Amino acid sequence: MTNETLQQHRQELYDHLTNELLPFWTSRAADYVNGGFITHFDQFGNDSGEDEKSLIAQTRSIYTYSSAHRAGYGNGKLAELAKHGVDYLLSRMWDEEQGGFYWMTNRKGEVLNNQKIVYGQSFAIYCLSEYTLATGDPRGVEYAQKVFDLLQKYAADTCYGGYFEMFHRDWTLKGPGPAGGDRKTLDAHMHLMEAFTTLYECTQQPIHHRKLQEVIDLLVGKIMHPTYGTGVPQFWADWQVAPQIKFDVIWGWDRFTEDGVKRAAEDNTSYGHNVEFAWLLLHALAILGTLPETYRDQLIKSFSHAVDHGIDWEFGGVFVEGSHSGQVYDREKEFWQQAEVLIGLLDAYQLFSDETYWKAYSNVHRFVLDKMVNHAVGEWWPLMTRQGVPIWTHMSHSWKINYHTVRSMVQSIRRLDLLLKNRNFSG
């Protein structure tokens, strides 16, 4: 690795972010008729017409515009977009009677699904805290704290720890099986960690500090595999490993069998999730003022498993998922794993000074810029073959939005700048 290589990588990401990725969204996402954001676009960037606005897509969009504005992009335009999204979120998706945010409205803002799903509530906390940090608008942190308090009241499991995740509108727990009321997931708890991190950064309140630390200890102590340090997807309420099933209200488009149970369901881990967890943990520790050394063993396992088994050294990029012990199950390339691994591998290289992490980063970087980005439009293909041929072709829907891609560019540029600064300083 040379300064020239660092600078080249940094410039490629910056050009993509400022000339392709952000313009894709700022030119078409805002719904100036009904409020909020349009989030469904085909491979050509045209509105594909789905009549829905999901909590996950609206909150992730608010986070994207807020965080990019806070990082110095957009000349104020992104802050205006974030406010536009918050106005819709608070006026059309907040449940004035029961508290919390509805899962889904149509484009006009009429409620289609009034359930309270903790995964979505976590992104409300995350985006609204980020919004206040970025703009100073107190409404963000006000509602973020309201949701946090609701989770402590209704969702927190005071017997086994962690949070139940699937609720009816009135916060009564949903039933078992596909309804999800009897399960807990890595996904929701990891996103609660990032949400509580940003909430604590915003408020500096001891209760937010304490609950963030609780989630971290739960993730490290219960959710990550005791031997391999890799993420286990689903659990029963008492934290015994549960078969990974498809929920009635689902986020993401994971490939399941027809019976709704994933192949190798109890020996299955995501390389992207493991690296995302590791870099989000590092960020949480920085906000808490805790040294990374405290969780060194966990961090090494999360990062090294992905590099040892998840990186495709032949065709580039990172595989979707595989066994905890190493066997790869799914060799396709999904957009969000690439995005999160870019950030995490730069953190791993900075932390451990191991050139293997830099080589792995360069591998994924090249795959993303050469294959994953649809340069004619500006966003990323959602799913590709191992060799880099698009399988799914939409640019956006409720589950594929700007959160992973823009965040990856903003955070990776920040880390490359830090590497350049440190090398120039030491040189």
Side-chain angles (χ1 to χ4, degrees), residues 82 117 148 164 186 213 260 273 306 309 322 337 346 369 389 394 397:
I117 310 299
F148 173 87
F164 292 108
L186 160 65
Q213 187 64 58
H273 262 159
H309 306 294
Q337 285 98 337
L346 288 174
L369 272 297
V389 178
H394 55 271
H397 58 46

Side-chain angles (χ1 to χ4, degrees), residues 297-310:
D297 184 58
Q298 175 62 63
L299 292 164
I300 288 175
K301 287 179 177 179
S302 295
F303 285 130
S304 63
H305 184 274
V307 170
D308 292 343
H309 306 294

Side-chain angles (χ1 to χ4, degrees), residues 22-38:
L22 286 174
F24 176 91
W25 293 101
T26 57
S27 65
R28 54 171 56 79
D31 182 346
Y32 292 114
V33 176
N34 299 301
F37 303 113
I38 296 167

Side-chain angles (χ1 to χ4, degrees), residues 88-373:
Y88 180 86
L89 187 69
L90 300 187
S91 65
R92 308 311 293 264
M93 302 193 82
W94 177 257
D95 185 343
E96 292 286 355
E97 295 179 9
Q98 303 288 347
F101 290 100
Y102 300 121
W103 182 247
M104 187 85 70
T105 68
N106 63 16
R107 289 200 181 194
K108 292 181 179 179
E110 299 162 336
V111 178
L112 299 178
N113 185 331
N114 63 16
Q115 295 176 52
K116 306 295 165 61
I117 310 299
V118 166
Y119 187 91
Q121 307 299 323
S122 74
F123 275 97
I125 296 172
Y126 189 38
C127 83
L128 290 167
S129 301
E130 183 71 26
Y131 172 69
T132 293
L133 286 165
T135 67
D137 186 340
R139 293 182 303 162
V141 72
E142 175 191 349
Y143 278 84
Q145 289 184 94
K146 286 181 179 181
V147 176
F148 173 87
D149 291 346
L150 286 164
L151 294 185
Q152 307 315 314
K153 181 178 181 180
Y154 292 116
D157 181 355
T158 54
C159 181
Y160 295 107
Y163 296 83
F164 292 108
E165 302 179 18
M166 304 290 199
F167 296 87
H168 297 289
R169 180 191 175 190
D170 63 358
W171 291 97
T172 54
L173 192 61
K174 292 178 67 178
D182 60 347
R183 276 177 160 81
K184 296 169 182 172
T185 66
L186 160 65
D187 215 0
H189 286 79
M190 182 180 73
H191 290 302
L192 285 170
M193 177 177 71
E194 71 181 341
F196 292 177
T197 298
T198 308
L199 179 62
Y200 176 61
E201 182 183 4
C202 191
T203 69
Q204 295 294 299
Q205 290 188 15
I207 183 63
H208 301 146
H209 182 294
R210 194 173 88 233
K211 291 297 180 179
L212 171 57
Q213 187 64 58
E214 283 181 11
V215 172
I216 289 172
D217 290 343
L218 184 67
L219 282 158
V220 174
K222 295 285 189 183
I223 295 177
M224 308 313 277
H225 194 284
T227 302
Y228 299 105
T230 44
V232 178
Q234 289 183 19
F235 298 84
W236 302 112
D238 63 358
W239 296 109
Q240 296 299 306
V241 176
Q244 190 180 3
I245 64 169
K246 186 175 181 179
F247 297 130
D248 293 336
V249 177
I250 186 173
W251 46 90
W253 280 25
D254 289 337
R255 275 84 72 208
F256 287 82
T257 57
E258 289 184 6
D259 62 2
V261 179
K262 206 160 199 175
R263 183 171 60 87
E266 294 182 58
D267 183 23
N268 187 70
T269 193
S270 162
Y271 307 110
H273 262 159
N274 294 333
V275 175
E276 183 181 13
F277 163 73
W279 86 254
L280 287 172
L281 173 59
L282 279 168
H283 178 58
L285 297 177
I287 296 300
L288 289 171
T290 302
L291 293 174
E293 190 66 29
T294 311
Y295 295 91
R296 180 182 178 85
D297 184 58
Q298 175 62 63
L299 292 164
I300 288 175
K301 287 179 177 179
S302 295
F303 285 130
S304 63
H305 184 274
V307 170
D308 292 343
H309 306 294
I311 299 297
D312 186 345
W313 295 104
E314 183 177 356
F315 293 103
V318 61
F319 299 127
V320 171
E321 57 200 12
S323 165
H324 296 287
S325 61
Q327 180 186 358
V328 180
Y329 294 151
D330 188 337
R331 295 179 186 272
E332 292 173 346
K333 310 291 170 60
E334 199 166 5
F335 79 102
W336 69 265
Q337 285 98 337
Q338 318 303 314
E340 298 305 324
V341 164
L342 285 176
I343 306 169
L345 290 176
L346 288 174
D347 269 353
Y349 177 69
Q350 180 79 14
L351 190 62
F352 300 118
S353 301
D354 184 337
E355 286 293 326
T356 305
Y357 291 120
W358 174 255
K359 292 174 183 175
Y361 168 81
S362 295
N363 171 302
V364 179
H365 174 105
R366 197 71 273 134
F367 182 84
V368 167
L369 272 297
D370 293 348
K371 300 284 190 178
M372 202 103 214
V373 176

